[in-house]
Amino acid sequence: MGVYETPVMRLKGKQMAVVPEIRDAYLVVEDGVVAGYGAMKDMPAEISAVIAAPSADAVVEDLSGRFVFPAFADSHTHIVYAGSRETEYEDKIRGLSYVEIAKRGGGILNSADLLHRTSEDELYETAMQRLHQCVEGGTGAIEIKSGYGLSTEDELKMLRVIRRMKETAPIAVKSNFLAAHAFPRNFSDNHDGYVDLIVNEMIPLVAKEGLADFIDVFCDEGFFTVEQTARMLEAGAKYGMRPKIHANELALSGGIQVGVKYDALSVDHLEYVGKAERDVLRDSNTMATALPGAAFFLGMPYSPVREMIDDGLSVALASDFNPGSSPSASMKFVLSLASIKMKLTPSEALNAATVNGAYALGLAGTHGQISKGLKANFVITKPMPSFAYFSYSYTENLIEKVVVNK
Ligand code: NIG
Ligand code: FE
């Protein structure tokens, strides 16, 4: 079982290698809160008494051979969307790249067309189904972005769906306003005009309804420039929206630098990271979040996360669950990719997906860890020979139960 005596805010560099562990442990949950834990041999007499004679209001479960670890904090998803994009998946198989598909009007614009024709109720139903898939896969807190609206009306529609999900989901949900995901067709020749619309119309309306915890921009080659990103982040900051942005997926775009400059909570993707980028991240409050599911699905380079951790940085992992570049809820598979493709140890990958994921969600110290007094949010595995087996056996369903509370 992985536990923290005192909740930690985030883990950096070498700290990421250690998951504090109690073997042969007991765990007590009362009213959805972790009330105690420790080694079986140190178990207090009153707990042994409950185990010896369980009553109707004290459920006892024998978890011999299982592992218990914190539920994942998935800090980057796009699970509100309409339809699916397997046609583009086939285009990719035939050789087109993500950028080529986007240039032909596919990609994000394709999802925006589908979303425009879909009602708020239907979007809510399908997104909740995906959220339940995430929870079944061990996710205990989640961030959800807008960004398939690309007009004032449809961005607000998406954010209202996310607000409903916040109210009804069994886990904590954070919302991220991502109108700057792509340029809509009516602004294809007037990119700054779309940025004006976001700054002057959308941000104030989103803020008025209190619909967004964060603001996001796809700051990358061929998408939003550093200057446009700075304008939008500055406008969002006036309304208390902290940046969590897409950066450096396609090039050394300057996205990391502009994110850190505006005190982003996280910069995400980071397939392209050099020394200059590592240097600005090192003493910042910004989490470096990698999304190996997208690199896997698109056949693109993986983020150089090993180098970043060795250089003392703090790294998180998230699913990027979306219809175009990562159609998967599985954080277990993200751990496998992190180890197999990015050379993180299973413990580093777990810390990145739990403690550091919670930081990147704005839930540091309350989620992504098991600690006394915190809400009970954890994964119970099936019997396994070791913790490393969980991501090693990369297609086996090894989750027996997920306990969540919000
Ligand atoms: O995080 N890179 C930008 N946005 C998404 C993909 C969205 C899509 O293709 O629908 C991402 O990978
Ligand atoms: Fe994304």
Side-chain angles (χ1 to χ4, degrees), residues 76-78 145 178 181 216 246 249 268-269 291 320-322 325:
H76 183 134
T77 83
H78 310 245
K145 300 171 192 296
L178 172 61
H181 198 187
D216 199 339
H246 285 73
E249 177 183 4
D268 302 18
H269 267 291
L291 310 168
D320 197 17
F321 190 175
N322 78 75
S325 67

Side-chain angles (χ1 to χ4, degrees), residues 191-207:
H191 288 183
D192 283 329
Y194 184 54
V195 176
D196 289 341
L197 181 73
I198 292 175
V199 167
N200 300 327
E201 184 174 292
M202 293 194 205
I203 291 177
L205 284 175
V206 168

Side-chain angles (χ1 to χ4, degrees), residues 36-168:
Y37 50 74
M40 288 292 271
K41 62 177 174 42
D42 304 326
M43 190 156 58
E46 66 266 25
I47 296 171
S48 320
V50 173
I51 293 175
S55 64
D57 52 307
V59 180
V60 176
E61 287 186 50
D62 177 5
L63 302 181
S64 309
R66 278 97 172 148
F67 287 74
V68 178
F69 58 77
F72 302 118
D74 190 352
S75 62
H76 183 134
T77 83
H78 310 245
I79 60 172
V80 177
Y81 60 82
S84 51
R85 305 227 303 264
E86 62 275 22
T87 323
E88 292 167 23
Y89 166 66
E90 294 197 38
D91 289 343
K92 270 181 234 120
I93 293 165
R94 292 197 194 90
L96 285 187
S97 74
Y98 182 72
V99 172
E100 282 162 347
I101 290 168
K103 281 198 178 135
R104 287 173 154 203
I108 295 166
L109 295 187
N110 185 359
S111 283
D113 291 341
L114 291 167
L115 184 126
H116 182 67
R117 300 197 292 268
T118 307
S119 73
E120 207 171 300
D121 283 346
E122 193 178 334
L123 285 172
Y124 169 77
E125 294 302 331
T126 53
M128 279 304 277
Q129 282 166 15
R130 291 180 201 115
L131 183 132
H132 285 297
Q133 262 185 60
C134 295
V135 174
E136 278 162 30
T139 293
I142 198 166
E143 179 252 30
I144 309 173
K145 300 171 192 296
S146 67
Y148 293 124
L150 309 183
S151 70
T152 304
E153 181 197 353
D154 288 342
E155 282 295 312
L156 288 172
K157 174 163 87 171
M158 284 190 83
L159 290 169
R160 290 184 189 125
V161 169
I162 302 172
R163 177 171 60 194
R164 238 165 115 185
M165 296 175 79
K166 278 190 187 199
E167 289 160 6
T168 55

